[in-house]
Structure formats: structure tokens, C-alpha cells
Amino acid sequence: MQQRILQPGEIEALDKTSFPRILLPQVASLFSERAARLRQLADGNPIADYLQFAAKIVDAQQAAASSVELAPLDTSTIERAQQHSMPLLPAAEHVDPAWHTVLHSMLETLSSAEGLPAPLQPLITELRNLPDAERNDIAAKLLQKEVAARHIGMAPFIMAALQVTYARRAAALNPVDVPYTDPASICPVCASEPVASVLRIGGKANGHRYLHCGTCCTEWHMVRVKCSHCESTKGIHYETIEGSKDVVTAETCDECGTYRKVVNQEKDPFAEPLADDLASLMLDLLMSEQTRFQRASANPLLYVAVAEAQDADQPQDGLIDPAQ
């Protein structure tokens, strides 16, 4: 009797009780729920003003999400990605022109947003007037984790517009078309790094950990107690702020010397990976001051202005102050 080796995906298909490997973004509610969580987390937070500012950006994302029109993904792209265990559409190589429409819509919303700091209005005007080619250049650099000091103020707006575009692209996929990738620490849809991981509750995903893509918002399963950066299972530890409810912990890895946050819905059912990561900046400060571990990847809405940069073209990371 001839035997056949089952391929990844076929085994899960036989098990009707299996949990989902891929959770695609639910764009209809993704941004509205994220904005609500940011406002909830702002109460009493040391960076409350920034969280309220970020919530307005996410509101603009929600308003712009319906304006995105993308061509369907061709079957040859899916087949090639599955054959070579590679992401479907690496973000840095597939910047859809539709993101300019999203950005324009977001800037229109933000320019009239109540309570938006007045000093940001010239920045919004400048970004609105930039030629598409220059915007594309900045976007490409951001997707490659580079940002010049002079573009730090623009970075959250550009990344937010890109995020809407990629999330809409991901939402239109069929989960079975998303390939198994190597390494498993990057998004199987857009090849970006996860912003955080999340312990999900509810349905078949209950109790399982997923990595949340900071670019397209796709989530993919990874077992617990495993480094989400180098995939090591050795030397994994967890750090948190004393007195916190452990909703957000920093998962550290002795092997690669990095950490990435774990957001636990079992501790708070309203926890949201990007929002809770952004709101737990104090944990990042604790990690930078008291440990040797480096953050594995950035939050797309978090950029810090570096004072007196020696070179205006030198890539920088950090947090902008919306009140300046």
C-alpha cells in the first residue's frame, strides 16, 4: 500500500479541534478597537498625551480604511511563496500606490481633528505637499527600519498609512494561502517583524500565543516560552514592573540578547498588542536601564526625536512629543 507524507496544513485540516495558525486582520473593527484601548490606557499613564495623540492617528486610520482599493493577489504569487516557504508580499518590495490615497484621507481627518496640537499642523501640511516620489522614498526607508532625523515627525503618519494599506491586503487573503515561512519569526504575509506577541482568549485561539505584525496586522502562531526573534527555547525569562497586573511582560532571550513584549488577554480581555506595547514605555525604560537586553523591533507609531543630532540624515529611533 502506497503511503503519502502529509504536508504542513494538511495535518491541521484533519484535526477539526485544531487552533488557527493564522489570524488575519479584521479591518472593520481593528482600528476602532485599538483607538479605544489607547484612550483607556492613557488614563494615569506617564505618556498620556502621546497615547491620546496616537489614538487620533488610529481614528484617522479607521476613517481611511474604507478608501483602499487593491487588486486581488494572483495565484502565481501565492504558489511561489508556498513553494519556497517565503512571505507572500515582502512589504519593502511591494509598496502599493494606494497608500498615498490612505495618507491623504488620514491627513484630511487629522487636520480637522479636535484637540490635535497646533504645532503639528505645519507638519501635516508639509507631508501633504510632498511629491509622491519623496514620500515613497521615506516609506521605503521606514520599512527597512531606517529614519532620518528630519523625517522623525512624519514617521508615525507614514507608517500608519502603510499599515492600513497592508492590513487591507492581508484581510483579503484566505488563511490557507498564507505559507509556512522560514524563519518563523517574520510575518508570513509581509515579511515584517512582530511588534509584540499576544496570548489570545476566545474561540479556538484561546490560550495560544500569536505574533502580531507591526505592518500588516496579521497574527501567526508561535508556541510559548520560545524567543520570537531567534526562535531559541533556551534562556527564556520574563520581566515586568513590580506592582503591575502582568498584562504586559518582557520576554527576554539569553541566546540573542533581545526582548519582545507579551500582551496577555488572560489578564485583561481588552488588551491589544500594538496599543499595550505602546502604553508600556516604562517597561522599555526599565529594560534599557537595568538589563543588557535590546528591544527586538520597534512600534510603528513610536519614534523619538533625538536632540541635536550630529547628522540630520543619520537614522534615528524614538518618540515624538505631540505637544512640541
Side-chain angles (χ1 to χ4, degrees):
M1 180 176 65
Q2 186 177 13
Q3 295 182 331
R4 184 172 70 89
I5 298 175
L6 294 176
Q7 299 299 314
E10 294 182 299
I11 298 174
E12 290 85 344
L14 296 176
D15 182 5
K16 300 304 182 183
T17 65
S18 66
F19 56 89
R21 176 179 64 93
I22 299 293
L23 299 177
L24 296 173
Q26 303 298 309
V27 179
S29 59
L30 171 68
F31 300 112
S32 60
E33 291 176 358
R34 179 171 293 167
R37 179 61 173 175
L38 284 166
R39 291 189 170 93
Q40 179 186 22
L41 292 168
D43 186 24
N45 196 296
I47 60 167
D49 288 345
Y50 191 83
L51 297 180
Q52 293 287 358
F53 164 67
K56 292 182 185 298
I57 293 180
V58 181
D59 285 338
Q61 287 181 297
Q62 177 68 35
S66 61
S67 67
V68 186
E69 295 184 5
L70 301 170
L73 199 61
D74 61 274
T75 56
S76 62
T77 298
I78 297 172
E79 292 171 355
R80 181 171 63 254
Q82 292 179 337
Q83 180 181 357
H84 297 287
S85 298
M86 56 186 285
L88 284 172
L89 290 171
E93 302 170 14
H94 298 84
V95 181
D96 196 294
W99 85 272
H100 293 287
T101 302
V102 175
L103 181 63
H104 177 75
S105 174
M106 288 183 58
L107 295 179
E108 286 294 316
T109 299
L110 288 166
S111 64
S112 59
E114 182 180 354
L116 191 69
L120 286 178
Q121 295 296 345
L123 179 64
I124 290 175
T125 300
E126 180 185 1
L127 186 52
R128 181 187 288 131
N129 294 334
L130 278 181
D132 286 358
E134 188 170 350
R135 286 181 185 170
N136 284 335
D137 182 64
I138 299 171
K141 286 183 169 62
L142 287 172
L143 291 170
Q144 294 167 3
K145 299 189 293 184
E146 300 176 11
V147 54
R150 68 181 186 276
H151 295 144
I152 285 176
M154 299 179 181
F157 302 101
I158 292 176
M159 283 303 301
L162 291 169
Q163 191 179 71
V164 172
T165 309
Y166 288 115
R168 282 295 302 268
R169 169 73 76 189
L173 296 172
N174 187 326
V176 300
D177 291 334
V178 179
Y180 288 78
T181 56
D182 185 20
S185 56
I186 62 171
C187 176
V189 174
C190 74
S192 299
E193 292 178 306
V195 65
S197 63
V198 55
L199 301 180
R200 286 289 179 193
I201 59 171
K204 291 185 177 181
N206 187 64
H208 295 286
R209 177 171 80 150
Y210 291 85
L211 305 186
H212 184 91
C213 177
T215 302
C216 75
C217 305
T218 295
E219 294 185 1
W220 64 104
H221 176 257
M222 178 172 279
V223 296
R224 299 193 189 194
V225 198
K226 183 176 186 177
C227 178
S228 59
H229 184 65
C230 74
E231 301 185 61
S232 173
T233 55
K234 300 177 182 178
I236 304 297
H237 307 283
Y238 296 89
E239 303 284 348
T240 189
I241 296 178
E242 185 176 355
S244 70
K245 298 180 180 179
D246 294 343
V247 177
V248 180
T249 58
E251 182 180 69
T252 65
C253 175
D254 291 341
E255 294 293 304
C256 67
T258 69
Y259 76 92
R260 184 172 278 124
K261 293 177 192 170
V262 181
V263 177
N264 193 343
Q265 288 190 334
E266 296 169 343
K267 300 288 185 178
D268 186 337
F270 296 106
E272 199 277 337
L274 189 145
D276 281 69
D277 173 74
L278 187 61
S280 54
L281 181 62
M282 296 305 295
L283 179 56
D284 290 295
L285 295 176
L286 176 69
M287 296 299 294
S288 66
E289 294 173 355
Q290 300 185 16
T291 76
R292 64 178 179 84
F293 298 99
Q294 301 294 316
R295 185 175 167 113
S297 55
N299 189 302
L301 298 185
L302 186 64
Y303 288 87
V304 176
V306 179
E308 299 180 0
Q310 295 181 352
D311 183 354
D313 293 320
Q314 186 67 27
Q316 308 287 349
D317 290 315
L319 172 67
I320 66 172
D321 183 351
Q324 291 182 346

